[in-house]
Amino acid sequence: MKKTILVLSILATCSNLFGQSDVEPCYFDKYQRQNQLKVNEAEKIIKEEISKSKLYQKAMTSPVKVIPVVVHIIHNGGTENISDAQIQSQIDVLNEDFRKITGTNGDGNGVDTEIEFCLAKKTPNGECTNGIVRIQSTLSNHQTYQRSMLKQLTYWDNTRYLNMYVVKSINGSSGILGYSSFPGGPPDEDGIVVRHNYFGRIGTAASSIGRTTTHEIGHWFGLYHTFNGGCGVDTCADGDYVCDTPPAANPNFGCPTINSCSIDFPDVNDQIQNYLDYSDDNCKDMFTMGQKTRMHATLNTIRALIWNDTNLVFTGCDISFVSAPCNVVADFTANSQTICINNQILFTNKTLNGATSYQWYFPGGTPAISTSTNPTITYNALGTYSVKLVAYGGLGADSVEFTNYITVTTPPVGQALPYFEGFESFTFPSNGINIDNPDGGITWERDTVAVMYSGVAAAKINNLINTNYGQSDALLLPSFDFTTYTVTPYLFFKWAYAKSDPSYSDELIVLVSKDCGVNWTQVFYRTGTNLVTGPTQTTPYIPDATTIWKTANISLSTYSTYSNVRIKIVNVTDGGNNLYIDHINLGSNITGIEESETNISQFEVFPNPSNGLINIQYYLRQSEDLSIKIIDMLGKTVYENSYKNKMSGSNKDFINTELSSGVYNISIQAKSGMINKKLIIKK
């Protein structure tokens, strides 16, 4: 047992890690903090199990525990849609590492953990499966706050399966390779997420040897980083709670020989070979006996159901199960089941087991038949409609039909502008506002304690006590008719916010829909220092002056020709502090200054007026997919060109059109937001 000679607290920080490229920054540590109460509960259970008599010996001699696995490939048609062979290579790596198989990279100085992994052969419905689910979605460009959204796409019972998610990216260019939940956390967030180019050791991960996934599954079993707590801790009772992992002052990178903590006893080098350090994959090759004990304590308690004999039979991972080639299993979802007439629905294919082609049937839709993987269908007539999908694979076909699945309604009449809401009414919400509170927890409320921008009340959400991290809560404004408004419409409001900790930051987002709420476009985004108006404080933030409130003034000119426009003001919680909204005004440009919260800036169009030969230039803060559109005064798109992964920095494009003389809007639209200008064509 290590003993502390000096009480010292040296914490590994995240800030320096995010500046590195392709490392494993400490997102797990943030996740741990975000779910601290549940982590503490889990820790108590694990420690109690470890403290039982002879558990150490029990872990040494326990029968091999098999973990059924389902791998969800979240892709958008790119190289991130990795092969079955690459997926299998990752399962092979896990078994080599956790079983310390002789002659493999996992055969180091550690122990055989007696844990194995099996790609599931039965779905939760008892259907045949290869343990792989493929979903096409833009969520492949994954943000950690979207972890619940990711798992809403596809999720299997976490008491029966270890859910692994493979994505294109995590938090953009942050350098995060993967992350994991901790035992005992929210079921709908349970599992691990890994970038495709670090999942396995072939294909897109040819430069990797699969240890990112080994590392993350260690967390899933209840292991902390070996450097948790830094130097000066008794790691049996603190740090990573494992006696036989030497303390480390900080995470290690590369393959150094280093003794970063000289006050531990016995004084030994950092264990860079341990899978729970940040050292390079090629120098990792071990779990310790103490880590094995801790993992089995988790499996004997919190995760006891997943490896029992009954579940192995249920998932097809029992030794007696004979796997046969699987037929396809047709399935799909839609981004909305209720839409307004003349609007579109995106259908997402969720067919299992590698279909080779598809046939869709959309009675009442346009087109009525489609062979696309994920078709977009327009409904131009009122009514209720069925949808059918036939999926074809190597062993034949399978079909699924949902009757009365799509309802097409008349759009509600949008109210005229201008619109104002200052939350002065005792009734909350009022003036046509609704609250979207998906988790049924902490959400927007009326507040009269703060010093408001105007009046005596504002809308507030208490992120300080909101532990459902990543959850969004929205103020949903009523429908508006912009067509009768004679000037460019703007959304104006005031906000006030402070952090509770420099590393925690909530998010403020504005989304707009022109199709009755089926699809939403981001037009405003603030987080971090761009969101704060007051000093960081651990106590509830209460604005104390009218002057500290910040202003949003967002042009909505793109929507001028639409009669049913919906707007959401969204808070995404990160456990920060109170966020206030006041003085919502939808109408003309109050300040004369346009707020542009988008990745796109420095948008120029020339010559303007033009004869149809148009040059545009713009600047992107970061690379992303975008489209350039020209829209006439009736709201019809008369020109559109889409670009995949447009490079960051300065961009120039040339447009040659045959447009008639008149006034148009030209816009650049992306997921991050949009920017537009008036375009005049003179022939």
Side-chain angles (χ1 to χ4, degrees), residues 544-591:
D544 58 2
T546 60
T547 55
I548 57 87
W549 290 74
K550 287 189 176 181
T551 302
N553 198 41
I554 308 160
S555 172
L556 300 177
S557 60
T558 303
Y559 303 92
S560 296
T561 58
Y562 292 92
S563 60
N564 188 274
V565 179
R566 304 301 306 273
I567 299 171
K568 290 197 289 190
I569 301 174
V570 184
N571 170 88
V572 180
T573 185
D574 188 41
N577 215 315
N578 291 336
L579 172 66
Y580 298 81
I581 299 293
D582 196 15
H583 209 74
I584 299 173
N585 196 314
L586 188 59
S588 61
N589 189 345
I590 295 177
T591 65

CSV table of all heavy atoms in Angstrom, one decimal, residues 544-591:
chain,number,residue,atom,x,y,z
A,544,ASP,N,-27.1,42.6,-10.9
A,544,ASP,CA,-27.3,43.7,-9.9
A,544,ASP,C,-27.4,45.1,-10.5
A,544,ASP,O,-27.4,46.1,-9.8
A,544,ASP,CB,-26.2,43.6,-8.8
A,544,ASP,CG,-24.8,43.7,-9.4
A,544,ASP,OD1,-24.7,43.9,-10.7
A,544,ASP,OD2,-23.9,43.6,-8.6
A,545,ALA,N,-27.4,45.1,-11.9
A,545,ALA,CA,-27.5,46.4,-12.6
A,545,ALA,C,-28.1,46.2,-14.0
A,545,ALA,O,-27.9,45.2,-14.6
A,545,ALA,CB,-26.1,47.1,-12.7
A,546,THR,N,-28.8,47.2,-14.4
A,546,THR,CA,-29.4,47.1,-15.8
A,546,THR,C,-28.3,47.2,-16.9
A,546,THR,O,-28.5,46.7,-18.0
A,546,THR,CB,-30.3,48.3,-16.0
A,546,THR,OG1,-29.6,49.6,-15.9
A,546,THR,CG2,-31.5,48.3,-15.0
A,547,THR,N,-27.1,47.7,-16.5
A,547,THR,CA,-26.0,47.9,-17.5
A,547,THR,C,-25.3,46.7,-17.8
A,547,THR,O,-24.5,46.6,-18.8
A,547,THR,CB,-25.0,49.0,-17.0
A,547,THR,OG1,-24.6,48.6,-15.7
A,547,THR,CG2,-25.7,50.4,-16.9
A,548,ILE,N,-25.4,45.6,-17.0
A,548,ILE,CA,-24.6,44.4,-17.3
A,548,ILE,C,-25.3,43.5,-18.3
A,548,ILE,O,-24.7,42.5,-18.8
A,548,ILE,CB,-24.3,43.6,-16.0
A,548,ILE,CG1,-25.6,43.3,-15.2
A,548,ILE,CG2,-23.4,44.5,-15.1
A,548,ILE,CD1,-26.2,42.0,-15.6
A,549,TRP,N,-26.5,43.7,-18.7
A,549,TRP,CA,-27.2,42.9,-19.6
A,549,TRP,C,-26.6,43.0,-21.0
A,549,TRP,O,-26.3,44.1,-21.4
A,549,TRP,CB,-28.7,43.2,-19.6
A,549,TRP,CG,-29.4,42.8,-18.4
A,549,TRP,CD1,-29.3,43.5,-17.1
A,549,TRP,CD2,-30.3,41.7,-18.2
A,549,TRP,NE1,-30.1,42.8,-16.2
A,549,TRP,CE2,-30.8,41.8,-16.8
A,549,TRP,CE3,-30.8,40.7,-19.0
A,549,TRP,CZ2,-31.7,40.9,-16.3
A,549,TRP,CZ3,-31.7,39.8,-18.5
A,549,TRP,CH2,-32.2,39.9,-17.2
A,550,LYS,N,-26.4,41.9,-21.7
A,550,LYS,CA,-26.0,41.9,-23.1
A,550,LYS,C,-27.1,41.9,-24.0
A,550,LYS,O,-28.2,41.4,-23.7
A,550,LYS,CB,-25.0,40.8,-23.3
A,550,LYS,CG,-23.6,41.0,-22.7
A,550,LYS,CD,-22.6,40.0,-23.1
A,550,LYS,CE,-21.2,40.2,-22.5
A,550,LYS,NZ,-20.2,39.2,-23.0
A,551,THR,N,-26.8,42.2,-25.3
A,551,THR,CA,-27.9,42.4,-26.3
A,551,THR,C,-27.7,41.4,-27.5
A,551,THR,O,-26.6,41.2,-28.0
A,551,THR,CB,-27.9,43.8,-26.9
A,551,THR,OG1,-28.0,44.7,-25.8
A,551,THR,CG2,-29.0,44.0,-27.9
A,552,ALA,N,-28.8,40.8,-27.9
A,552,ALA,CA,-28.8,40.1,-29.1
A,552,ALA,C,-29.8,40.8,-30.1
A,552,ALA,O,-30.9,41.2,-29.7
A,552,ALA,CB,-29.3,38.6,-28.9
A,553,ASN,N,-29.3,41.0,-31.3
A,553,ASN,CA,-30.2,41.7,-32.3
A,553,ASN,C,-29.9,41.0,-33.6
A,553,ASN,O,-29.0,41.3,-34.3
A,553,ASN,CB,-29.8,43.2,-32.4
A,553,ASN,CG,-30.9,44.0,-33.1
A,553,ASN,OD1,-32.1,43.7,-32.8
A,553,ASN,ND2,-30.5,44.9,-34.0
A,554,ILE,N,-30.8,40.0,-34.0
A,554,ILE,CA,-30.5,39.0,-35.0
A,554,ILE,C,-31.4,39.3,-36.2
A,554,ILE,O,-32.6,39.3,-36.1
A,554,ILE,CB,-30.8,37.6,-34.5
A,554,ILE,CG1,-30.0,37.4,-33.1
A,554,ILE,CG2,-30.4,36.6,-35.5
A,554,ILE,CD1,-30.5,36.3,-32.3
A,555,SER,N,-30.8,39.5,-37.4
A,555,SER,CA,-31.5,39.6,-38.6
A,555,SER,C,-32.2,38.3,-39.0
A,555,SER,O,-31.6,37.3,-39.0
A,555,SER,CB,-30.7,40.1,-39.7
A,555,SER,OG,-31.4,40.1,-41.0
A,556,LEU,N,-33.5,38.4,-39.3
A,556,LEU,CA,-34.3,37.2,-39.8
A,556,LEU,C,-34.8,37.5,-41.2
A,556,LEU,O,-35.8,37.0,-41.6
A,556,LEU,CB,-35.4,36.9,-38.8
A,556,LEU,CG,-35.0,36.6,-37.4
A,556,LEU,CD1,-36.3,36.4,-36.5
A,556,LEU,CD2,-34.1,35.4,-37.3
A,557,SER,N,-34.0,38.2,-42.0
A,557,SER,CA,-34.4,38.6,-43.3
A,557,SER,C,-34.7,37.4,-44.2
A,557,SER,O,-35.5,37.4,-45.1
A,557,SER,CB,-33.4,39.5,-44.0
A,557,SER,OG,-32.1,38.9,-44.1
A,558,THR,N,-33.9,36.3,-44.0
A,558,THR,CA,-34.1,35.1,-44.7
A,558,THR,C,-35.5,34.6,-44.7
A,558,THR,O,-36.0,33.9,-45.6
A,558,THR,CB,-33.1,34.0,-44.3
A,558,THR,OG1,-31.8,34.5,-44.4
A,558,THR,CG2,-33.2,32.8,-45.1
A,559,TYR,N,-36.2,34.9,-43.6
A,559,TYR,CA,-37.6,34.4,-43.4
A,559,TYR,C,-38.7,35.4,-43.7
A,559,TYR,O,-39.9,35.1,-43.4
A,559,TYR,CB,-37.7,33.9,-41.9
A,559,TYR,CG,-36.6,32.9,-41.5
A,559,TYR,CD1,-35.4,33.3,-41.0
A,559,TYR,CD2,-36.8,31.6,-41.7
A,559,TYR,CE1,-34.4,32.4,-40.6
A,559,TYR,CE2,-35.9,30.6,-41.4
A,559,TYR,CZ,-34.7,31.1,-40.9
A,559,TYR,OH,-33.7,30.1,-40.5
A,560,SER,N,-38.3,36.5,-44.4
A,560,SER,CA,-39.3,37.5,-44.6
A,560,SER,C,-40.5,37.0,-45.5
A,560,SER,O,-41.6,37.6,-45.4
A,560,SER,CB,-38.6,38.7,-45.4
A,560,SER,OG,-37.7,39.3,-44.6
A,561,THR,N,-40.4,36.0,-46.3
A,561,THR,CA,-41.4,35.6,-47.1
A,561,THR,C,-42.2,34.4,-46.6
A,561,THR,O,-43.0,33.8,-47.3
A,561,THR,CB,-40.8,35.1,-48.5
A,561,THR,OG1,-39.9,34.1,-48.3
A,561,THR,CG2,-40.2,36.3,-49.2
A,562,TYR,N,-42.0,34.1,-45.3
A,562,TYR,CA,-42.7,32.9,-44.7
A,562,TYR,C,-43.8,33.4,-43.7
A,562,TYR,O,-43.6,34.3,-43.0
A,562,TYR,CB,-41.7,32.0,-44.0
A,562,TYR,CG,-40.8,31.3,-45.0
A,562,TYR,CD1,-39.6,31.9,-45.3
A,562,TYR,CD2,-41.1,30.2,-45.6
A,562,TYR,CE1,-38.7,31.3,-46.2
A,562,TYR,CE2,-40.3,29.5,-46.5
A,562,TYR,CZ,-39.1,30.1,-46.8
A,562,TYR,OH,-38.2,29.5,-47.7
A,563,SER,N,-44.9,32.7,-43.8
A,563,SER,CA,-46.1,33.0,-43.0
A,563,SER,C,-46.2,32.2,-41.7
A,563,SER,O,-47.1,32.5,-40.9
A,563,SER,CB,-47.4,32.9,-43.8
A,563,SER,OG,-47.5,31.5,-44.2
A,564,ASN,N,-45.3,31.3,-41.5
A,564,ASN,CA,-45.4,30.5,-40.3
A,564,ASN,C,-43.9,30.3,-39.8
A,564,ASN,O,-43.3,29.3,-40.1
A,564,ASN,CB,-46.1,29.2,-40.5
A,564,ASN,CG,-46.3,28.4,-39.2
A,564,ASN,OD1,-45.5,27.7,-38.7
A,564,ASN,ND2,-47.5,28.6,-38.6
A,565,VAL,N,-43.4,31.2,-39.0
A,565,VAL,CA,-42.1,31.1,-38.5
A,565,VAL,C,-42.1,30.9,-37.0
A,565,VAL,O,-42.8,31.5,-36.2
A,565,VAL,CB,-41.3,32.5,-38.8
A,565,VAL,CG1,-39.9,32.4,-38.3
A,565,VAL,CG2,-41.3,32.8,-40.3
A,566,ARG,N,-41.4,29.8,-36.6
A,566,ARG,CA,-41.2,29.5,-35.2
A,566,ARG,C,-39.8,29.8,-34.7
A,566,ARG,O,-38.8,29.6,-35.4
A,566,ARG,CB,-41.5,28.0,-34.9
A,566,ARG,CG,-42.9,27.5,-35.4
A,566,ARG,CD,-44.1,28.2,-34.8
A,566,ARG,NE,-44.1,28.3,-33.4
A,566,ARG,CZ,-44.6,27.3,-32.6
A,566,ARG,NH1,-45.2,26.2,-33.1
A,566,ARG,NH2,-44.6,27.4,-31.3
A,567,ILE,N,-39.7,30.3,-33.4
A,567,ILE,CA,-38.4,30.7,-32.9
A,567,ILE,C,-38.3,30.0,-31.5
A,567,ILE,O,-39.2,30.1,-30.7
A,567,ILE,CB,-38.3,32.2,-32.7
A,567,ILE,CG1,-38.4,32.8,-34.1
A,567,ILE,CG2,-37.0,32.6,-32.0
A,567,ILE,CD1,-38.5,34.4,-34.1
A,568,LYS,N,-37.1,29.4,-31.2
A,568,LYS,CA,-36.8,28.9,-29.9
A,568,LYS,C,-35.6,29.5,-29.3
A,568,LYS,O,-34.6,29.6,-30.0
A,568,LYS,CB,-36.6,27.3,-30.0
A,568,LYS,CG,-37.7,26.5,-30.3
A,568,LYS,CD,-37.5,25.1,-30.0
A,568,LYS,CE,-36.6,24.4,-30.9
A,568,LYS,NZ,-36.6,22.9,-30.7
A,569,ILE,N,-35.7,30.0,-28.1
A,569,ILE,CA,-34.5,30.4,-27.3
A,569,ILE,C,-34.2,29.3,-26.4
A,569,ILE,O,-34.9,29.0,-25.5
A,569,ILE,CB,-34.8,31.7,-26.6
A,569,ILE,CG1,-35.2,32.8,-27.6
A,569,ILE,CG2,-33.6,32.2,-25.8
A,569,ILE,CD1,-35.7,34.1,-26.9
A,570,VAL,N,-33.0,28.7,-26.6
A,570,VAL,CA,-32.6,27.5,-26.0
A,570,VAL,C,-31.5,27.6,-25.0
A,570,VAL,O,-30.4,28.3,-25.3
A,570,VAL,CB,-32.2,26.4,-27.0
A,570,VAL,CG1,-32.0,25.1,-26.4
A,570,VAL,CG2,-33.3,26.3,-28.1
A,571,ASN,N,-31.6,27.0,-23.8
A,571,ASN,CA,-30.5,26.9,-22.8
A,571,ASN,C,-30.1,25.4,-22.8
A,571,ASN,O,-30.9,24.5,-22.7
A,571,ASN,CB,-31.0,27.3,-21.4
A,571,ASN,CG,-30.0,26.9,-20.4
A,571,ASN,OD1,-29.1,27.7,-20.0
A,571,ASN,ND2,-30.1,25.8,-19.7
A,572,VAL,N,-28.8,25.2,-23.0
A,572,VAL,CA,-28.2,23.9,-22.8
A,572,VAL,C,-27.3,23.9,-21.5
A,572,VAL,O,-26.3,24.6,-21.5
A,572,VAL,CB,-27.3,23.4,-24.0
A,572,VAL,CG1,-26.8,22.0,-23.8
A,572,VAL,CG2,-28.2,23.5,-25.3
A,573,THR,N,-27.7,23.1,-20.6
A,573,THR,CA,-27.0,23.2,-19.3
A,573,THR,C,-25.7,22.5,-19.2
A,573,THR,O,-25.5,21.4,-19.8
A,573,THR,CB,-27.9,22.7,-18.1
A,573,THR,OG1,-27.3,22.9,-16.9
A,573,THR,CG2,-28.2,21.2,-18.3
A,574,ASP,N,-24.7,23.1,-18.5
A,574,ASP,CA,-23.5,22.4,-18.2
A,574,ASP,C,-23.2,22.6,-16.7
A,574,ASP,O,-22.0,22.5,-16.3
A,574,ASP,CB,-22.3,23.0,-19.1
A,574,ASP,CG,-21.0,22.3,-18.9
A,574,ASP,OD1,-21.0,21.1,-18.9
A,574,ASP,OD2,-20.0,23.0,-18.8
A,575,GLY,N,-24.2,22.9,-15.9
A,575,GLY,CA,-24.0,23.0,-14.5
A,575,GLY,C,-23.3,24.3,-14.2
A,575,GLY,O,-22.6,24.4,-13.2
A,576,GLY,N,-23.5,25.4,-15.0
A,576,GLY,CA,-22.9,26.6,-14.8
A,576,GLY,C,-23.6,27.5,-13.8
A,576,GLY,O,-23.4,27.3,-12.6
A,577,ASN,N,-24.4,28.4,-14.2
A,577,ASN,CA,-25.1,29.3,-13.2
A,577,ASN,C,-26.4,29.8,-13.9
A,577,ASN,O,-26.7,29.4,-15.0
A,577,ASN,CB,-24.2,30.4,-12.8
A,577,ASN,CG,-24.4,30.8,-11.3
A,577,ASN,OD1,-25.6,31.0,-10.9
A,577,ASN,ND2,-23.3,31.0,-10.6
A,578,ASN,N,-27.0,30.7,-13.2
A,578,ASN,CA,-28.3,31.3,-13.7
A,578,ASN,C,-28.1,32.0,-15.0
A,578,ASN,O,-27.2,32.8,-15.2
A,578,ASN,CB,-28.9,32.2,-12.7
A,578,ASN,CG,-29.4,31.5,-11.4
A,578,ASN,OD1,-29.7,30.3,-11.4
A,578,ASN,ND2,-29.4,32.3,-10.3
A,579,LEU,N,-29.1,31.7,-15.9
A,579,LEU,CA,-29.2,32.5,-17.2
A,579,LEU,C,-30.5,33.2,-17.2
A,579,LEU,O,-31.6,32.5,-17.0
A,579,LEU,CB,-29.0,31.5,-18.4
A,579,LEU,CG,-29.3,32.1,-19.8
A,579,LEU,CD1,-28.3,33.1,-20.1
A,579,LEU,CD2,-29.3,31.0,-20.8
A,580,TYR,N,-30.5,34.5,-17.6
A,580,TYR,CA,-31.7,35.3,-17.6
A,580,TYR,C,-32.0,35.8,-19.0
A,580,TYR,O,-31.0,36.1,-19.7
A,580,TYR,CB,-31.6,36.5,-16.7
A,580,TYR,CG,-31.4,36.2,-15.2
A,580,TYR,CD1,-30.1,35.8,-14.7
A,580,TYR,CD2,-32.5,36.3,-14.3
A,580,TYR,CE1,-30.0,35.6,-13.4
A,580,TYR,CE2,-32.3,36.0,-13.0
A,580,TYR,CZ,-31.0,35.7,-12.5
A,580,TYR,OH,-30.8,35.4,-11.1
A,581,ILE,N,-33.3,35.8,-19.4
A,581,ILE,CA,-33.7,36.4,-20.7
A,581,ILE,C,-34.8,37.4,-20.4
A,581,ILE,O,-35.7,37.2,-19.6
A,581,ILE,CB,-34.3,35.3,-21.6
A,581,ILE,CG1,-33.2,34.3,-21.9
A,581,ILE,CG2,-34.8,36.0,-22.9
A,581,ILE,CD1,-32.0,34.8,-22.8
A,582,ASP,N,-34.7,38.6,-21.0
A,582,ASP,CA,-35.6,39.7,-20.8
A,582,ASP,C,-35.8,40.5,-22.1
A,582,ASP,O,-34.9,40.4,-23.0
A,582,ASP,CB,-35.2,40.6,-19.7
A,582,ASP,CG,-36.3,41.5,-19.1
A,582,ASP,OD1,-37.5,41.2,-19.5
A,582,ASP,OD2,-36.0,42.4,-18.4
A,583,HIS,N,-36.9,41.2,-22.2
A,583,HIS,CA,-37.1,42.2,-23.2
A,583,HIS,C,-37.1,41.6,-24.6
A,583,HIS,O,-36.3,42.1,-25.5
A,583,HIS,CB,-36.1,43.3,-23.1
A,583,HIS,CG,-36.6,44.7,-23.5
A,583,HIS,ND1,-37.5,45.4,-22.8
A,583,HIS,CD2,-36.3,45.4,-24.6
A,583,HIS,CE1,-37.7,46.5,-23.5
A,583,HIS,NE2,-37.0,46.5,-24.6
A,584,ILE,N,-37.8,40.5,-24.9
A,584,ILE,CA,-37.9,39.9,-26.2
A,584,ILE,C,-38.7,40.8,-27.1
A,584,ILE,O,-39.8,41.2,-26.8
A,584,ILE,CB,-38.5,38.5,-26.2
A,584,ILE,CG1,-37.6,37.6,-25.3
A,584,ILE,CG2,-38.6,38.0,-27.5
A,584,ILE,CD1,-38.2,36.2,-25.1
A,585,ASN,N,-38.1,41.2,-28.2
A,585,ASN,CA,-38.8,42.1,-29.2
A,585,ASN,C,-38.6,41.6,-30.6
A,585,ASN,O,-37.4,41.5,-31.0
A,585,ASN,CB,-38.2,43.5,-29.1
A,585,ASN,CG,-39.1,44.6,-29.7
A,585,ASN,OD1,-39.6,44.4,-30.8
A,585,ASN,ND2,-39.4,45.7,-29.0
A,586,LEU,N,-39.6,41.2,-31.3
A,586,LEU,CA,-39.6,40.7,-32.6
A,586,LEU,C,-40.2,41.8,-33.5
A,586,LEU,O,-41.4,42.0,-33.5
A,586,LEU,CB,-40.3,39.4,-32.7
A,586,LEU,CG,-40.1,38.6,-34.0
A,586,LEU,CD1,-38.7,38.3,-34.4
A,586,LEU,CD2,-40.9,37.3,-34.0
A,587,GLY,N,-39.3,42.4,-34.3
A,587,GLY,CA,-39.8,43.5,-35.2
A,587,GLY,C,-38.7,44.1,-36.0
A,587,GLY,O,-37.8,43.4,-36.5
A,588,SER,N,-38.6,45.5,-35.9
A,588,SER,CA,-37.6,46.2,-36.7
A,588,SER,C,-36.3,46.2,-35.9
A,588,SER,O,-36.2,45.8,-34.7
A,588,SER,CB,-38.0,47.6,-36.9
A,588,SER,OG,-38.3,48.3,-35.7
A,589,ASN,N,-35.2,46.6,-36.6
A,589,ASN,CA,-33.9,46.6,-36.0
A,589,ASN,C,-33.8,47.8,-35.0
A,589,ASN,O,-33.7,49.0,-35.3
A,589,ASN,CB,-32.8,46.8,-37.1
A,589,ASN,CG,-31.4,46.7,-36.5
A,589,ASN,OD1,-31.2,46.7,-35.3
A,589,ASN,ND2,-30.4,46.5,-37.4
A,590,ILE,N,-33.9,47.5,-33.7
A,590,ILE,CA,-33.9,48.5,-32.6
A,590,ILE,C,-32.6,49.3,-32.5
A,590,ILE,O,-32.6,50.5,-32.4
A,590,ILE,CB,-34.3,47.8,-31.3
A,590,ILE,CG1,-35.7,47.2,-31.3
A,590,ILE,CG2,-34.2,48.8,-30.1
A,590,ILE,CD1,-36.1,46.5,-30.1
A,591,THR,N,-31.5,48.6,-32.6
A,591,THR,CA,-30.2,49.2,-32.3
A,591,THR,C,-29.5,49.7,-33.6
A,591,THR,O,-28.6,50.5,-33.5
A,591,THR,CB,-29.3,48.2,-31.6
A,591,THR,OG1,-29.0,47.1,-32.4
A,591,THR,CG2,-29.9,47.7,-30.3
